[in-house]
């Protein structure tokens, strides 16, 4: 069985890196207007798609990545029997069902009917351009080369905010690490504790996931046209794997109300230090990137050896059970609760059995959060709009910087990873047994049935009387989004061959 | 303490009546998946001992799976089931339904076989009552009234804490607790003391507590002797039983998902066929017997093994033990529910559902099965049937909310408390 690291030449570079050193980026949303011409274009550009292999081997000054929606595959003429092999949520699309929009919190001001792109008019192809310099010239050249097979639906330009997101926090501090060498055996007693090293199959189709299984993807009969150029499926040697080395790419345009965020905070606290402390409590990290929760002595699998990584990520919330350091509802505590397979971590066989039967719980608030390793994503977002700092944002005459984030993440099972995190952890008003609050940054503040509010934020205090803020406005509005498939290079050539 | 009980009326839908019945049931909702609690047919909100209730049409699309087991199911009835969970005896609940919603129920059951409009509705429903093989109650003894009172208590205390935050900050947690307790005594909200536990219920529970282990002890030698044969036969079947886990059709998934996630709690109804033959049936009967003991004696306070999100659940045999119905009320979305199943109680799911036609391959009844993540999820979704009408008496409240509110009340009424306890109690609010 081939390990993921033997196939770096078939994997798009985005799986390896967010191209942090390529400060300029622009995303193009394309629609296919002529299938044959579009396929010819795809054939040409597929040669210049950056791979992990290249990133590891040489300095890359600019990089192109390509992803497709299910609509895009259809428009290119891919047989529906092939597309049907992709996951149901990918085929249906981010805005394909009202139920999905409810689960993702895409309602009211964030409803798909109000989106700038995605939803009613799905993009077909996502073309991602990253460059050290001279992006504009390259971008123009790319657009000129689109020919008559493709039309630009939207251009999504980005802004280099120096590693910060528009509210002023360092972004992308914590990422899961992929076990490229395939050494990790998931599901052993080591997983009773939180770990950050995950099997490649959580992000790449065609490889074993955290269940030790293969996530569904199109497997083709080798006699089907084009299938012979694909590799044999590891779990089904009679068929060829179109999903191999590909990943689902989730993209959402999140408009951030930077002025509204800092003004709301300023209304809660007078001194600048207190304001920053409140904003940091909402995020769960200091503005510098360090976690509020205390770091611990013992190493965590998949964190370090880089000192900065240890300083920022060698922690779980076991050392902050009362939420006194990092509030339970803080953004990063919701987005990755750092839970192992069982509360209490490693333990003797008898204790484990007792806990498995649900008999050894310390108290009712224990074991409410699912195990983290099945719900992780690789984040690859980029900022847009003008960058203004909080002092400027607080001035009455401050212009709207129209800032925000192109949230981009990679995962192998959209329902179990991205959608679960968004639904059960981020926007849930019931996360970790709380009530009345959703994610302080991402929540849409819409009340639930029977008028249960979701616009609070609570900070447990040593005195016992929790500090509670009510009436948070929505700081983020979703303005577009789609589910894409970021194929491996062989699969990309398959799509191009038609 | 008032124990909870469950009711279920099941009747085959008369030929040609299914479409009309679906349309009638739809009038009870304001939108698909969102019941009108005051609807004209069965105004659920008027029944203050009722926790949850549902109407489900059990139209099984998977019967052809039986062919892979070398048999068929001729002329399967399409069932209408009306089921729910309530405080106090189920018989009294049904009588209340007949008295207060007789006209609506008559219209609904008028679509079923053997229903005569002029007849005695209550007697008809009693005649079609079905007892579950196993039932589960998240918190035995917690009444609807208690849930509502404790939710109001939590809201009031949170409000009082918030309004007096400046003053409370300077006081010790014990002092704050004392003041809040005094304010509730004086200004409410009212808290009804628990009713006495009915003696017959208690006696039967104690009998069960002693009887089942005793019976197991007596049977033990036979189990030990029989184990090799049982395991041999089990493995033979486990390795050869057909696994039927195609991805559910998008239209089917849509018909289900449109009903979901309108509240923090969702309903789940699934219907399937028990694997043919006495071996699987007897295995299943034994498992339910033990499971019933556990839900009656052990899992009575907030958790079913490691899963804490289920309000009420039950397994019911139908069609002379040939088919099995599973119904539950759970917090969160279906995906998180299934993930809990897989990651926390796969063994429990396997014990029961591996005796159902098509279930993913298990090993020794416990491992495998649900651990086949996608196959298991497809299996559940494919066997799930749309729940036409679903009511929950306390929307917006999860089991975690209910448990917390109960603990807040207990803390409020605690006679003695030390400083640290008072601090933790305040933090819960």
């Amino acid at each position: 069985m081939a390990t993921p690291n033997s196939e770096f030449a078939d994997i798009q570079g985005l799986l390896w890196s967010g191209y942090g050193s390529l400060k300029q980026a622009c995303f193009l949303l394309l629609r296919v207007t002529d299938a044959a011409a579009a396929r010819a274009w795809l054939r040409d550009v597929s040669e210049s798609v950056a791979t992990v292999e290249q990133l590891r081997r040489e300095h890359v000054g600019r990089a192109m990545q390509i992803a497709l929606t299910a609509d895009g595959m259809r428009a290119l003429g891919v047989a529906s029997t092939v597309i049907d092999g992709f996951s149901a949520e990918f085929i249906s699309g981010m805005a394909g069902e009202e139920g999905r929009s409810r689960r993702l919190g895409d309602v009211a001001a964030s409803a798909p009917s109000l989106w700038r792109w995605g939803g009613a008019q799905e993009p077909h192809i996502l073309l991602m351009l990253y460059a050290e310099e001279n992006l504009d010239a390259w971008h123009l050249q790319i657009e000129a080369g689109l020919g008559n097979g493709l039309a630009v639906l939207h251009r999504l330009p980005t802004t280099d905010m120096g590693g910060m997101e528009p509210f002023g926090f360092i972004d992308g501090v914590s990422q899961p690490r992929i076990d490229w060498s395939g050494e990790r055996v998931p599901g052993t007693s080591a997983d009773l504790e939180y770990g950050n090293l995950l099997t490649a199959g959580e992000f790449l189709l065609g490889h074993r996931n955290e269940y030790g299984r293969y996530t569904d993807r199109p497997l083709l009969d080798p006699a089907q046209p084009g299938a012979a150029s694909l590799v044999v499926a590891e779990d089904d040697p009679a068929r060829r794997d179109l999903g191999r080395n590909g990943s689902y790419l989730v993209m959402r345009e999140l408009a951030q109300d930077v002025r509204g965020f800092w003004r709301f905070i300023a209304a809660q606290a007078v001194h600048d230090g207190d304001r920053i402390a409140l904003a940091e409590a909402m995020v769960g990290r200091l503005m510098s990137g360090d976690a509020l929760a205390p770091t611990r002595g013992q190493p965590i699998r998949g964190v370090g050896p880089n000192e900065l990584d240890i300083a920022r990520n060698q922690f779980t919330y076991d050392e902050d059970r009362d939420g006194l350091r990092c509030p339970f509802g803080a953004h990063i505590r919701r987005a990755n609760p750092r839970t192992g397979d069982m509360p209490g971590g490693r333990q003797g066989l008898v204790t484990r059995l007792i806990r498995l039967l649900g008999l050894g719980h310390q108290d009712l608030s224990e074991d409410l959060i699912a195990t983290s390793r099945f719900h992780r994503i690789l984040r690859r977002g980029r900022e847009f709009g003008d960058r203004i700092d909080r002092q400027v944002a607080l001035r009455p005459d401050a212009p709207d910087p129209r800032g925000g984030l192109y949230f981009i993440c990679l995962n192998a099972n959209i329902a179990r990873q991205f959608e679960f995190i968004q639904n059960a952890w981020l926007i849930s008003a019931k996360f970790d047994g709380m009530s009345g609050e959703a994610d302080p940054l991402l929540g849409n503040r819409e009340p639930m049935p029977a008028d249960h509010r979701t616009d609070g934020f609570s900070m447990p205090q040593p005195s016992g009387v929790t500090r509670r803020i009510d009436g948070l406005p929505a700081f983020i509005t979703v303005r577009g989004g789609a589910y894409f498939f970021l194929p491996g290079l062989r699969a990309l050539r398959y799509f191009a061959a038609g | 303490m008032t124990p909870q009980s469950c009711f279920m009326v099941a009747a085959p839908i008369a030929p040609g009546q299914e479409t009309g019945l679906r349309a009638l049931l739809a009038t009870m909702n304001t939108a698909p998946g969102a019941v009108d609690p005051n609807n004209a047919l069965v105004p659920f909100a008027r029944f203050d001992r009722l926790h949850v209730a549902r109407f489900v049409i059990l139209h099984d699309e998977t019967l052809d799976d039986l062919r892979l087991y070398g048999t068929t199911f001729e002329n399967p009835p399409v069932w209408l089931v009306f089921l729910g969970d309530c405080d106090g005896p189920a018989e009294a609940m049904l009588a209340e339904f007949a008295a207060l919603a007789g006209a609506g129920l008559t219209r609904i059951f008028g679509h079923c076989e053997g229903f005569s409009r002029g007849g005695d509705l209550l007697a008809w429903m009693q005649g079609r009552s079905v007892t579950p093989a196993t039932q589960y109650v998240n918190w035995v003894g917690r009444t609807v009234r208690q849930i509502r009172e404790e939710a109001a208590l939590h809201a009031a205390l949170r409000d009082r804490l918030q309004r007096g935050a400046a003053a409370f900050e300077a006081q010790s947690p014990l002092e704050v607790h004392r003041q809040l307790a005094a304010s509730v005594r004086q200004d409410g909200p009212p808290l009804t003391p628990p009713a006495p536990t009915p003696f017959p219920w208690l006696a039967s529970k104690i009998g069960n507590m002693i009887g089942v282990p005793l019976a197991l002890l007596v049977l033990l030698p036979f189990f030990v002797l029989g184990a090799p044969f049982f395991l041999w036969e089990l493995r033979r079947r486990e390795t050869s039983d057909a696994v039927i886990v195609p991805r559910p059709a998008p239209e089917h998934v849509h018909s289900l998902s449109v009903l979901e996630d309108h509240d923090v709690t969702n309903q789940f109804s699934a219907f399937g066929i028990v694997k043919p033959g006495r071996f699987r049936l007897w295995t299943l009967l034994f498992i339910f017997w033990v499971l019933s003991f556990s839900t009656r004696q052990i899992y009575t306070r907030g958790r079913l093994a490691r899963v804490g999100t289920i309000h009420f659940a039950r397994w019911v045999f139908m069609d002379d033990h040939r088919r099995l119905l599973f119904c539950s009320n759970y917090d969160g979305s279906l995906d998180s529910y299934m993930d809990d199943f897989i990651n926390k109680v796969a063994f429990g799911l396997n014990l029961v559902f591996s005796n159902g036609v098509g279930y993913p391959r298990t090993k020794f009844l416990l491992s495998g099965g649900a651990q086949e993540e996608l196959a298991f999820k497809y299996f559940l979704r494919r066997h799930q049937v749309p729940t036409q009408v679903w009511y929950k008496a306390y929307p917006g409240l999860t089991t975690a909310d209910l448990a917390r509110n109960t603990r807040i009340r207990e803390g409020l009424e605690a006679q003695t408390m030390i400083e640290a306890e008072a601090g933790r109690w305040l933090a819960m609010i």
Side-chain angles (χ1 to χ4, degrees), chain B residues 59-134:
Chain B
H59 192 133
D60 189 0
E61 311 270 3
T62 66
L63 283 173
D64 276 349
D65 292 359
L66 264 183
R67 291 179 196 285
L68 285 173
Y69 288 72
T71 173
T72 54
F73 197 128
E74 298 304 327
N75 307 317
V78 176
W79 294 95
L80 168 68
V81 294
F82 170 43
L83 59 96
D85 297 81
C86 61
D87 298 322
E91 299 76 28
M93 192 75 233
L94 280 187
E96 217 176 306
F97 279 127
L100 294 176
L105 287 169
T106 299
R107 282 187 67 192
I108 293 170
F109 288 128
H111 293 78
C112 295
E113 279 175 11
F115 188 83
S116 61
R117 274 167 198 277
D120 182 345
L121 172 68
L122 180 58
W124 189 87
M125 292 198 294
Q126 282 164 343
R128 280 149 187 85
S129 284
V130 185
T131 327
T134 292

Side-chain angles (χ1 to χ4, degrees), chain A residues 135-322:
Chain A
L135 174 75
D136 291 345
W138 183 39
H139 173 189
L140 282 177
Q141 194 188 329
I142 294 280
E143 279 203 25
L146 286 179
N148 58 0
L150 291 153
V152 178
L153 191 66
H154 276 288
R155 297 175 182 85
L156 308 178
T158 69
T159 310
D160 171 24
M161 294 193 179
M164 317 259 204
E165 52 71 54
F167 293 146
F169 284 82
I170 295 184
D171 195 22
V173 177
S174 164
Q175 298 273 12
R177 192 172 297 170
I178 300 179
D179 175 30
W180 292 105
S181 59
E183 285 164 2
R184 176 173 145 66
V185 179
T188 66
S189 63
D191 287 326
L192 294 173
E193 289 186 340
Y194 170 71
N196 193 47
L197 183 71
L198 299 177
T199 55
E202 288 297 296
F203 307 99
L204 287 171
L205 294 174
H207 300 269
R208 277 178 196 273
N209 63 21
E210 281 292 315
Y211 286 108
R213 306 291 193 279
Y214 294 83
T215 304
D216 278 0
R217 69 272 180 214
L219 299 181
L220 313 183
D221 187 319
Q224 272 176 273
S229 62
L230 301 169
V231 291
V232 169
E234 275 183 9
D235 51 338
D236 188 353
R239 294 194 289 169
R240 301 300 170 97
D241 193 342
L242 181 61
R244 180 109 177 160
N245 296 327
S247 185
Y248 291 111
L249 183 152
V250 175
M251 183 165 181
R252 284 157 80 76
E253 180 175 325
L254 307 177
Q256 293 178 240
D257 183 3
V258 179
R259 293 181 305 177
F261 178 74
W262 286 109
R263 285 172 187 175
F264 178 80
I265 291 206
Q268 311 297 320
V270 180
H271 300 293
D272 195 45
D274 294 341
R275 290 173 180 173
I276 292 176
L278 175 55
E280 288 173 338
M282 286 175 159
V283 173
R285 286 189 186 274
L286 302 177
M287 296 195 81
S288 64
D290 289 350
L292 295 183
T295 51
R296 60 180 210 180
Q298 312 102 288
I300 291 173
R301 191 168 23 97
V303 174
N306 174 321
E307 300 252 334
L308 188 65
D309 192 30
I310 290 177
R312 285 175 168 176
N313 284 313
Q314 192 166 293
F315 70 93
T316 67
Y317 298 102
D318 286 348
E319 285 78 30
D320 185 30
R321 284 173 194 274
D322 299 318

Side-chain angles (χ1 to χ4, degrees), chain A residues 304-497:
Chain A
N306 174 321
E307 300 252 334
L308 188 65
D309 192 30
I310 290 177
R312 285 175 168 176
N313 284 313
Q314 192 166 293
F315 70 93
T316 67
Y317 298 102
D318 286 348
E319 285 78 30
D320 185 30
R321 284 173 194 274
D322 299 318
L324 297 177
R325 298 282 290 268
C326 178
F328 300 113
H331 175 67
I332 72 158
R333 195 164 180 158
R334 284 173 174 271
N336 178 11
R338 297 176 180 243
T339 41
D341 282 6
M342 213 180 270
R346 286 184 200 229
Q347 46 220 342
L349 204 62
V350 176
T351 320
R352 210 169 142 185
L353 187 67
I354 288 173
R355 283 180 168 261
L356 187 67
L357 292 171
L359 302 175
H361 290 278
Q362 306 295 318
D363 67 80
L364 291 165
S365 62
E366 203 180 273
D367 211 4
L368 292 174
I369 308 175
T371 177
S372 289
R373 68 188 172 103
F374 301 110
H375 313 286
R376 300 294 305 280
I377 50 176
L378 276 174
R379 290 174 301 145
R380 296 294 188 240
R382 289 270 172 154
E383 286 73 27
F384 63 83
D386 296 330
R387 159 116 180 80
I388 57 169
D389 74 14
R390 67 176 185 286
Q391 307 291 5
V392 176
L394 287 174
R395 285 191 205 133
D397 60 343
D400 183 356
R402 296 172 180 279
L405 179 74
Y406 293 120
F407 170 87
I408 296 169
C409 78
L410 300 173
N411 53 187
N413 185 332
I414 300 173
R416 169 159 67 77
Q417 295 169 276
F418 164 71
E419 289 185 353
F420 182 97
I421 295 171
Q422 176 75 13
N423 170 255
W425 289 351
L426 291 174
I427 67 147
S428 167
K430 301 293 179 180
F431 174 73
D432 204 4
M434 294 188 294
S435 66
E437 58 185 281
D439 187 275
L441 304 180
L442 294 177
N444 58 27
R445 321 298 181 214
E446 289 298 304
M448 292 183 305
D451 267 346
H452 288 267
R453 299 175 67 155
T454 68
D455 62 352
F457 179 62
S458 62
M459 288 162 282
Q461 303 294 317
S463 71
V465 183
T466 300
R467 184 179 170 207
R468 216 171 276 284
I469 299 176
D470 284 321
L472 267 70
F475 299 126
I476 279 171
T477 312
V478 185
R479 291 201 309 192
Y483 291 153
F484 297 91
F485 177 62
L486 183 84
L489 273 287
R490 285 191 200 93
L492 189 59
R493 287 190 284 269
Y494 168 89
F495 290 124

Side-chain angles (χ1 to χ4, degrees), chain A residues 85-86 97 102-103 211 213 216 341 355 357 366-367 375 416 420 423 430 433 449 452 464 468 470, chain B residues 158 162 247 254 257 260-262 299 303 306 333 343-344 372-373 378 395-396 401 404 426-427 429:
Chain A
F86 287 99
E97 287 216 24
R102 275 200 298 277
R103 285 197 296 282
Y211 286 108
R213 306 291 193 279
D216 278 0
D341 282 6
R355 283 180 168 261
L357 292 171
E366 203 180 273
D367 211 4
H375 313 286
R416 169 159 67 77
F420 182 97
N423 170 255
K430 301 293 179 180
H452 288 267
R468 216 171 276 284
D470 284 321
Chain B
R158 189 178 262 199
Q162 185 96 329
R247 205 194 288 188
H254 178 78
S257 77
E260 291 168 354
D261 301 308
H262 295 276
Y299 302 121
R303 278 201 171 86
R306 278 183 73 197
S333 73
N343 300 333
K344 291 180 171 173
E372 303 286 337
E373 182 213 354
Y378 295 164
D401 288 325
R404 182 202 50 231
L426 284 175
I429 303 170

